[in-house]
Amino acid sequence: MLDERILKYIKKNKLLSWAMQDEEGVYIANAFYAFDESSLSFIIASHTYTKHIKLAFANPNIALNIAKLDKIAFLKGLQIKALFAVATKEQENIYYKRFAFARFSDANIFSLKIKYLKFSDNALNKKIELTF
């Protein structure tokens, strides 16, 4: 179960950046997400032929970030380690509920299951760290 402040932040946003390893170091991509509370997973859409999806299949341990900066005193963000996988049918439905237009795309749906999470909120001078 996640702290309500973390859940509220996740639900308020919809774009994440995620990183995976390539031959030369770190590779990064962006994705719109829906969130599956029951499995603590971010659900994203992409194509299997993209570099980031190929890299995630090769090494499913990925990192992701969601951050919003208006002023440094109000910075909030999430830093997460997650495990990449093909989404379940239930997770696909969660994604399509948030992004109905995606049903008309030929993109595949994937899951990023949280293994470690750090939530920072400068307005509260608070950091929450969780391992799953």
Side-chain angles (χ1 to χ4, degrees), residues 22 24 31 49 64 75 78 84 104 108 111:
D22 74 6
E24 299 173 4
Y49 58 78
L64 67 94
L75 173 71
L78 286 167
F84 171 85
F104 304 106
N108 301 90
S111 167

Side-chain angles (χ1 to χ4, degrees), residues 82-113:
L83 187 63
F84 171 85
V86 173
T88 64
K89 286 292 180 193
E90 182 179 288
Q91 289 173 328
E92 286 182 10
N93 290 333
I94 290 169
Y95 190 84
Y96 293 141
K97 185 175 180 182
R98 185 160 195 199
F99 302 107
F101 63 86
R103 287 189 186 275
F104 304 106
S105 167
D106 63 347
N108 301 90
I109 310 298
F110 301 98
S111 167
L112 309 173
K113 182 173 178 49

Side-chain angles (χ1 to χ4, degrees), residues 15-22 25-31 33 42 44 52-53 55-57 59-67 77-85 111-118:
L15 183 67
L16 59 79
S17 296
W18 63 302
M20 58 294 305
Q21 263 325 105
D22 74 6
V26 179
Y27 186 81
I28 194 163
N30 295 308
Y33 70 83
F42 292 88
I44 63 168
H52 55 277
I53 296 299
L55 291 172
F57 272 120
N59 181 355
N61 293 299
I62 61 95
L64 67 94
N65 177 63
I66 303 169
L78 286 167
Q79 297 166 324
I80 296 170
K81 291 180 184 180
L83 187 63
F84 171 85
S111 167
L112 309 173
K113 182 173 178 49
I114 299 172
K115 297 187 329 184
Y116 164 84
L117 174 146
K118 179 178 169 185

